[in-house]
Amino acid sequence: MEKEHFYYAGLFMIYMQAIRFLTDYLHNDVYYTAKYEGHNLNRAKNQISLLEKLLQKEQILKHLVGVHTDEAVAFETGTGSSVV
């Protein structure tokens, strides 16, 4: 049961951290220490970039975890496009 949620959990944690960095930036960096102006904004942007990369790797990551969705099965059997 947990394997089916492993990929989603990664997406959720990255998204949540992006929102936290952005919120802190908008509240004048009161929670996370900023070493320079816009540091938490940059952190939020980096989290969004990481989220986009994770979304691009959905099929291969689900395959590695052992979640067999239609896309992962297509990848495993060689009938789908290869994403590496």
Side-chain angles (χ1 to χ4, degrees), residues 1 4 8-9 12 20-21 28 30 47 50 55-56 58-59 62 66 74 76-77 84:
M1 178 68 162
E4 288 81 19
Y8 172 75
F12 182 78
R20 291 178 75 184
F21 283 137
N28 297 315
V30 295
Q47 291 296 303
L50 180 60
L55 286 166
Q56 292 171 356
E58 179 179 2
Q59 291 177 357
K62 285 183 175 180
E76 183 177 316
T77 60
V84 178

Side-chain angles (χ1 to χ4, degrees), residues 56-84:
Q56 292 171 356
K57 302 292 184 181
E58 179 179 2
Q59 291 177 357
I60 187 68
L61 292 170
K62 285 183 175 180
H63 172 74
L64 291 172
V65 174
V67 176
H68 294 284
T69 63
D70 291 340
E71 295 85 14
V73 170
F75 175 80
E76 183 177 316
T77 60
T79 59
S81 61
S82 177
V83 180
V84 178

Side-chain angles (χ1 to χ4, degrees), residues 5-75:
H5 301 291
F6 193 78
Y7 174 74
Y8 172 75
L11 294 174
F12 182 78
M13 293 299 294
I14 295 167
Y15 175 75
M16 182 176 64
Q17 194 61 45
I19 296 299
R20 291 178 75 184
F21 283 137
L22 180 59
T23 301
D24 197 45
Y25 168 75
L26 295 172
H27 288 138
N28 297 315
D29 304 318
V30 295
Y31 188 78
Y32 294 107
T33 302
K35 295 185 179 185
Y36 56 87
E37 182 66 34
H39 191 186
N40 284 321
L41 178 59
N42 285 337
R43 288 172 169 165
K45 289 177 182 179
N46 286 334
Q47 291 296 303
I48 295 300
S49 176
L50 180 60
L51 183 62
E52 289 170 343
K53 290 176 183 176
L54 192 63
L55 286 166
Q56 292 171 356
K57 302 292 184 181
E58 179 179 2
Q59 291 177 357
I60 187 68
L61 292 170
K62 285 183 175 180
H63 172 74
L64 291 172
V65 174
V67 176
H68 294 284
T69 63
D70 291 340
E71 295 85 14
V73 170
F75 175 80

